[in-house]
Amino acid sequence: KGQFVVALGNPYGIAKDGQVSASWGIISNLGRPLPTAGASSDPAKDSLYQYGGLIQTDARLNLGTSGGALVNLKGEMIGLTTALAASEGYERSLGFAIPVNDVFLRTIETLKTGHKAEFGFLGVSPENLSDAMRRAGQHGAVLVHVVSGTPAFAAGLKEGDIVTHVNGEAVYDRGQLMHELGKQPVAVEIRLTAERGAQAGRPGRVVQATAKLSKRHVTGARPPYSLIPDPSWRGLQIDYATALPQTLLRQV
């Protein structure tokens, strides 16, 4: 926080000569989720960054600067500008950028090989702990639903379990759990620590589980494109069942 940054972009489409425009500001915060206002209108919100992980900056990001580089004063790209959070009646908006981290670099390498980016899927519906449990110092995300046939089901997770760690990283709420899961690639094995039968002020039995993730379905304004076609067999599409949209899953 507080580091000076420069945002490059094409505000209002005026950079027709190919020369990008620059604005400057500081990093206001790290690990921010996308704001909920107007979430249905922005397809980028259907991603792991809706749960957290974004760079927040006060650099001016006008319409058209999305997709530009956010660089530090050494000229190193540290983020990709992606969204604004503006309120009616206010002249300045908050800017957000996807950080250039391990997930970002892995995705770039996948795209460079001509394949589509893929993200892991566990198969749970988590919620935050009750206020009483949080006041008692407990942390984690409670699983209100475990989908049959998913990696979570195969790993032995049950409804009511409280996931407290993913690969040794502490989980404090629903958003952090979804963000940690979304960072994982497909077919990787992850270690989960959960508490079973916990109540407010009383920890439950610790459960260790290993899950091999399947593939998450990602929606967007446009269909994904790749140079290398999706795998098929005799005209049939081959993919993880969890990668299919819910409308298709209900029909098979």
Side-chain angles (χ1 to χ4, degrees):
K1 281 189 288 187
Q3 175 182 332
F4 283 94
V5 290
V6 176
L8 305 177
N10 181 16
Y12 304 109
I14 62 175
K16 301 185 184 302
D17 59 355
Q19 298 293 323
V20 297
S21 300
S23 62
W24 69 277
I26 64 169
I27 293 178
S28 304
N29 219 315
L30 300 168
R32 290 304 203 197
L34 279 174
T36 55
S40 60
S41 62
D42 190 347
K45 288 181 171 56
D46 186 22
S47 70
L48 75 157
Y49 294 107
Q50 73 191 75
Y51 304 108
L54 289 173
I55 299 172
Q56 178 189 335
T57 176
D58 68 350
R60 183 175 290 277
L61 301 179
N62 300 109
L63 183 67
T65 54
S66 295
L70 187 72
V71 301
N72 60 22
L73 297 187
K74 297 179 181 179
E76 299 167 332
M77 180 176 174
I78 61 172
L80 183 77
T81 56
T82 182
L84 296 174
S87 298
E88 186 177 356
Y90 291 87
E91 73 282 1
R92 289 296 300 268
S93 57
L94 300 177
F96 296 93
I98 297 174
V100 179
N101 54 17
D102 291 341
V103 180
F104 185 96
L105 296 175
R106 186 181 73 233
T107 302
I108 293 297
E109 289 302 317
T110 301
L111 296 175
K112 285 166 61 177
T113 63
H115 292 86
K116 297 174 185 176
E118 298 179 344
F119 304 94
F121 178 82
L122 183 61
V124 297
S125 296
E127 291 294 342
N128 293 331
L129 299 183
S130 65
D131 292 340
M133 298 183 79
R134 294 169 71 91
R135 283 195 297 267
Q138 295 166 276
H139 67 89
V142 58
L143 305 183
V144 297
H145 183 53
V146 176
V147 183
S148 299
T150 61
F153 183 84
L157 294 176
K158 300 180 181 297
E159 294 178 3
D161 287 352
I162 298 175
V163 177
T164 59
H165 295 80
V166 176
N167 288 338
E169 293 290 334
V171 171
Y172 293 95
D173 55 27
R174 171 185 180 271
Q176 188 177 3
L177 173 61
M178 298 299 289
H179 184 65
E180 290 296 327
L181 294 175
K183 294 192 303 183
Q184 306 300 326
V186 176
V188 71
E189 286 192 348
I190 61 170
R191 295 176 288 106
L192 299 165
T193 302
E195 291 185 6
R196 184 165 293 167
Q199 298 180 4
R202 190 181 72 183
R205 177 170 62 90
V206 176
V207 176
Q208 302 287 346
T210 300
K212 186 175 182 180
L213 299 182
S214 58
K215 184 178 174 182
R216 181 177 183 268
H217 172 70
V218 179
T219 59
R222 292 174 291 184
Y225 169 79
S226 63
L227 295 175
I228 299 177
D230 293 330
S232 61
W233 179 79
R234 296 187 178 182
L236 300 177
Q237 180 182 352
I238 302 173
D239 210 335
Y240 290 87
T242 54
L244 299 175
Q246 291 298 318
T247 53
L248 289 181
L249 287 178
R250 285 194 290 265
Q251 298 173 10
V252 297

